[in-house]
Amino acid sequence: MKQMRANTKLQNAYLAFLFFLMYLPVAIVILFSFNESKLYVSFSGFSLVWYEKLFRDSAMMEALKNSLILGILSCAVSAVIGTLGAVSLSALKLRSKGVLEYIAILPLMVPEIILGMVLMAFFYMLKLPFGMLTLLIGHTVFCVPYILVEVKASLALMDPSLTEAARDLGASSWRAFLDITLPLVMPAVASGSLLAFAMSMDDVVISIFINGPRISTLPIKVYTQIKTGVTPEINALCTIMLAVSLTALAVFSIFRSHKKEENRDEEQIDRASEPDQEL
Amino acid sequence: MKQYRHLIRPYLIWSLVLVVIPLFLIVFYAFTEEGNEVLTFSFTWKNFARFLEATYLNVILKSFWLGFITTAICLLLGYPLAYFISRFSEKAQDTLILLVTIPMWINMLLRTYAWMNLLSDNGIINQLLGRLNLGPVSMMYTDFSVLVGLVCNFMPFMIIPIHTSLCKMDKSLLEAAMDLGANRVQTFWKVTWKLSMPGVVNGVMMVFLLAVSSFVIPKLLGGGQYMLIGNLIESQFISVGDWNFGSAISMILAVIILISMRLMQKMDKLQQEE
C-alpha cells in the first residue's frame, strides 16, 4: 500500500501550536507549584515550600482522603451494578430493552448541573443527611453508565456459545457468569472503572449540590478557594497527582509492551515448530 | 445468554430510584407552585410562562449562541488536528492522542484558574504585551475569556471521536478516488469528510452539550454577573430558592438537548444509509 502523504512543516507547526495552547494552563499549574511567592503574577524563584506546607495542611489532606475514599467506593459499587446491568441487558430480548438502554446512558446526556440539583432536591425530600453517603450515592449516578457502556461494548464482541456450552455442561447460571462471562469482560470492567474513578475525582458540579456543609472533596476545596485566591498548595497537590498517574501509565505501558513481546516470541516459536506450509 | 436475565434486578432498582424518579421529580416541581406538598399540589403553567420575560429569554439565547460558537471553533481547530494526527505512524498516533488527554488529568478548575491568571489585566499575557508596547488589553470577564476557557476545556471531546473515525477509514478508498481522477480537494470532501461524519457528529454533540450547560467556567472566567442557563439554574436553586422555576428551566434545557441529540443521531443514520 502506498504510504499516506506525510504532514508538511506548516501542518506540524499547527499541531504544535494547538498542543501549546492545551498545555499552557497545565504548565502554569506546575510552574507555580514551585514558585516562592504566593502570587500568580510572576515567577520569583524556585522553592519547594508549597509541597512542604501541603503535607502539614490537615484540611487539604482530609479533602484528598475524602476524594480517594469516595472515588474508590463509588467505583466499586458502580462496577457491580454496571457489570450486572450490562450482562443482563444484553441477555434481554424484550421490547422494553431499548428504553432500559436509553435510561442507562441518560445520566451522561443530561447536563451535570441538572443532575446535581435533581439529586439535591431528591435527597432533601428523602430527608437524607447531606454528607459522604449522599456523595457516594450521587457519584454512582454518573459512574455506572461509564462502566456499563464499556462492558456492553465488550460483550457485543463475545461469542455467546461459550456460556451456552458451560450451561449445557451443567454449570448453574451463577457459575457460568463467574467462570466464563466475568473473566472475559474483566478488562472492560477495569477500564470503565478507571474512567469512572477519574470522573469522580474531578467532579465538582454534582458534588457541590450534595456535599453538605461539613464534608469537602478536593475539587470542592479548589472551588471554594478560587473565590478568595488559590494557595499554590493545590498546585503542588495536583502536580503530584499528575506525576503519580503518569508514572502509573508508564509502568502499565512498559508492562504491556513487555507482555506483547513475550507473546510475539511465543508465536514465533510456535511458527518455527510448525512445518513450513509453503514448501 | 438468556440465563442472565434475573441479574438485572440491582441495575433496575438503581436506575429506577436514582435516575427515573429524580428526573420525574423535576417535572413535578416544574408544573407546580411553591409551597406544595406531594399530596396537595396544584398544576400550573406559571413557571414556563416566566421564560417569555426578556431577561430569561436573553440568557437562554446567549447560552445557545455561546454553545454554538464553542462547538464551531472546536470543530474548526480540532478537525485538522485530528486529521494531521491520523497521518502519523500508528505508534506516534497513540502517543499524540495520549497527549491530547493528559491535560484533562489536571483538575478542570485549576486549569480554569490558570487561564484566569493568564488573561487577567496584570497577568502573564498582558505583561508580554506591555513589553511589546501593545499596552494592557482587558480580556477577563468578557465573552472572549469565557470562550477561551470553554474551547480549551472541551477540545479533546471533539478531537478523539473524529480521530477514531478517521482511523477506522479504509485508506484504499482514498487511492481509489485518486486513481479515478479525483483531485485532493475532491477526495477529501467526497471520501474523508463523509466517512469521518460519525466522529464529527459525536464530537459536535458532546462539545455542544458540555458548553451549553457549563456553569463553572462561565462563572470563573465571565465573572459573577455573567449569566448562562447553568448559572441561572444554580442561582434559582441556591440563592433565590425558587425550586419550581429552577426545575422548569432545567426541564426545558434537558428536553432541548435530548431532542437535538435524537435529531443528530437520525441525521447520522440517514447519511450512512445514503
Side-chain angles (χ1 to χ4, degrees):
Chain A
M1 195 182 117
K2 234 190 315 181
Q3 195 60 44
M4 281 183 76
R5 300 172 67 88
N7 292 326
T8 63
K9 267 194 190 134
L10 193 70
Q11 290 167 338
N12 281 337
Y14 176 80
L15 259 171
F17 176 68
L18 274 199
F19 272 115
F20 169 74
L21 274 189
M22 283 196 272
Y23 276 84
L24 193 58
V26 178
I28 296 284
V29 170
I30 296 174
L31 183 69
F32 282 96
S33 76
F34 294 112
N35 192 10
E36 222 173 20
S37 143
K38 196 182 166 167
L39 296 171
Y40 252 91
V41 187
S42 63
F43 194 78
S44 53
F46 181 85
S47 120
L48 288 173
V49 64
W50 302 110
Y51 286 85
E52 211 186 296
K53 280 202 174 147
L54 167 69
F55 290 106
R56 286 210 218 102
D57 188 340
S58 57
M60 195 73 83
M61 285 292 129
E62 179 77 22
L64 175 65
K65 199 183 84 191
N66 285 338
S67 269
L68 286 172
I69 292 176
L70 180 63
I72 292 167
L73 280 182
S74 52
C75 269
V77 174
S78 306
V80 174
I81 299 175
T83 310
L84 287 177
V87 169
S88 51
L89 270 182
S90 61
L92 280 179
K93 279 210 179 74
L94 296 170
R95 218 180 293 152
S96 54
K97 190 182 162 187
V99 180
L100 285 174
E101 279 177 345
Y102 191 69
I103 292 173
I105 51 164
L106 206 55
L108 299 184
M109 299 201 292
V110 172
E112 270 187 314
I113 175 128
I114 297 184
L115 279 185
M117 52 128 277
V118 158
L119 287 171
M120 181 181 88
F122 184 59
F123 293 146
Y124 181 82
M125 214 184 71
L126 293 180
K127 300 203 167 59
L128 269 178
F130 286 95
M132 200 55 163
L133 183 68
T134 49
L135 277 174
L136 175 62
I137 299 173
H139 278 217
T140 65
V141 170
F142 62 88
C143 285
V144 167
Y146 282 113
I147 298 169
L148 190 132
V149 168
E150 288 275 315
V151 176
K152 229 180 78 195
S154 89
L155 276 171
L157 301 171
M158 205 179 98
D159 184 357
S161 59
L162 284 174
T163 51
E164 275 161 33
R167 292 283 283 157
D168 288 346
L169 293 170
S172 70
S173 60
W174 258 112
R175 261 229 93 79
F177 174 73
L178 289 176
D179 286 351
I180 310 285
T181 313
L182 197 57
L184 284 172
V185 296
M186 219 43 203
V189 177
S191 65
S193 305
L194 212 60
L195 190 62
F197 180 74
M199 291 298 167
S200 164
M201 286 290 284
D202 210 30
D203 176 74
V204 62
V205 178
I206 292 171
S207 301
I208 50 174
F209 281 100
I210 55 172
N211 74 320
R214 257 164 286 141
I215 215 152
S216 169
T217 64
L218 206 55
I220 293 175
K221 192 98 193 159
V222 184
Y223 184 71
T224 47
Q225 273 198 4
I226 279 180
K227 289 169 194 158
T228 52
V230 171
T231 64
E233 281 173 31
I234 292 183
N235 289 19
L237 182 54
C238 285
T239 306
I240 294 175
M241 282 164 64
L242 183 69
V244 170
S245 19
L246 283 179
T247 318
L249 184 84
V251 170
F252 179 72
S253 66
I254 289 170
F255 175 75
R256 212 172 51 172
S257 67
H258 189 71
K259 218 174 165 184
K260 243 186 212 165
E261 259 164 44
E262 253 173 30
N263 284 346
R264 204 179 300 147
D265 288 347
E266 274 168 26
E267 257 173 44
Q268 271 164 0
I269 292 167
D270 284 349
R271 227 175 278 153
S273 60
E274 273 171 26
D276 211 328
Q277 287 177 347
E278 275 171 43
L279 280 174
Chain B
M1 285 194 282
K2 273 184 201 156
Q3 67 269 20
Y4 293 154
R5 255 186 226 155
H6 59 274
L7 295 179
I8 203 160
R9 275 171 222 145
Y11 167 74
L12 218 53
I13 294 167
W14 170 84
S15 60
L16 204 69
V17 175
L18 289 174
V19 182
V20 180
I21 295 178
L23 287 178
F24 269 110
L25 198 64
I26 65 160
V27 179
F28 171 77
Y29 272 119
F31 284 109
T32 53
E33 270 177 69
E34 215 193 319
N36 281 316
E37 291 294 315
V38 182
L39 295 175
T40 57
F41 58 85
S42 60
F43 181 83
T44 177
W45 287 100
K46 209 181 75 191
N47 300 315
F48 291 96
R50 277 179 72 185
F51 269 107
L52 300 174
E53 290 170 31
T55 356
Y56 300 123
L57 216 55
N58 280 340
V59 170
I60 292 173
L61 286 179
K62 185 164 190 182
S63 305
F64 277 88
W65 177 238
L66 215 66
F68 174 74
I69 300 274
T70 306
T71 314
I73 297 177
C74 279
L75 182 62
L76 276 175
L77 293 177
Y79 194 98
L81 188 76
Y83 182 68
F84 297 149
I85 288 178
S86 77
R87 303 214 284 188
F88 278 90
S89 74
E90 225 169 89
K91 222 175 177 178
Q93 281 188 43
D94 285 348
T95 317
L96 285 167
I97 285 297
L98 186 69
L99 281 176
V100 171
T101 57
I102 285 177
M104 295 205 286
W105 297 0
I106 287 253
N107 187 290
M108 183 266 280
L109 289 169
L110 216 52
R111 274 180 288 139
T112 311
Y113 190 66
W115 273 119
M116 286 169 74
N117 291 293
L118 278 165
L119 298 173
S120 72
D121 283 352
N122 48 6
I124 295 164
I125 292 177
N126 268 322
Q127 280 178 25
L128 286 177
L129 286 177
R131 242 173 249 175
L132 297 170
N133 281 327
L134 292 169
V137 182
S138 209
M139 288 179 285
M140 266 306 278
Y141 308 124
T142 59
D143 288 345
F144 173 75
S145 57
V146 176
L147 268 176
V148 169
L150 291 174
V151 168
C152 267
N153 259 298
F154 301 143
M155 187 70 101
F157 295 97
M158 183 67 85
I159 296 169
I160 289 166
I162 293 178
H163 175 259
T164 310
S165 60
L166 281 172
C167 276
K168 278 192 202 146
M169 193 174 72
D170 186 353
K171 303 277 187 321
S172 58
L173 287 173
L174 296 178
E175 281 169 49
M178 294 285 223
D179 288 347
L180 292 170
N183 62 30
R184 269 200 283 151
V185 177
Q186 281 171 328
T187 314
F188 176 79
W189 283 114
K190 297 244 155 120
V191 183
T192 313
W193 172 256
K194 272 222 161 139
L195 287 174
S196 63
M197 227 29 216
V200 173
V201 169
N202 256 330
V204 165
M205 279 197 323
M206 283 262 250
V207 173
F208 185 73
L209 164 71
L210 288 167
V212 87
S213 65
S214 65
F215 98 104
V216 177
I217 295 171
K219 195 171 179 172
L220 297 181
L221 290 171
Q225 301 302 311
Y226 205 87
M227 268 281 174
L228 294 183
I229 299 184
N231 309 83
L232 188 62
I233 294 174
E234 191 226 3
S235 72
Q236 290 302 319
F237 270 83
I238 304 291
S239 37
V240 182
D242 189 344
W243 287 20
N244 302 84
F245 185 47
S247 298
I249 310 167
S250 309
M251 208 184 120
I252 289 188
L253 178 62
V255 166
I256 293 176
I257 284 176
L258 292 178
I259 289 177
S260 49
M261 285 188 136
R262 204 77 206 175
L263 282 178
M264 286 287 261
Q265 279 167 341
K266 279 248 167 78
M267 249 170 53
D268 187 30
K269 245 185 208 156
L270 278 178
Q271 217 156 31
Q272 277 178 347
E273 276 164 15
E274 247 174 38

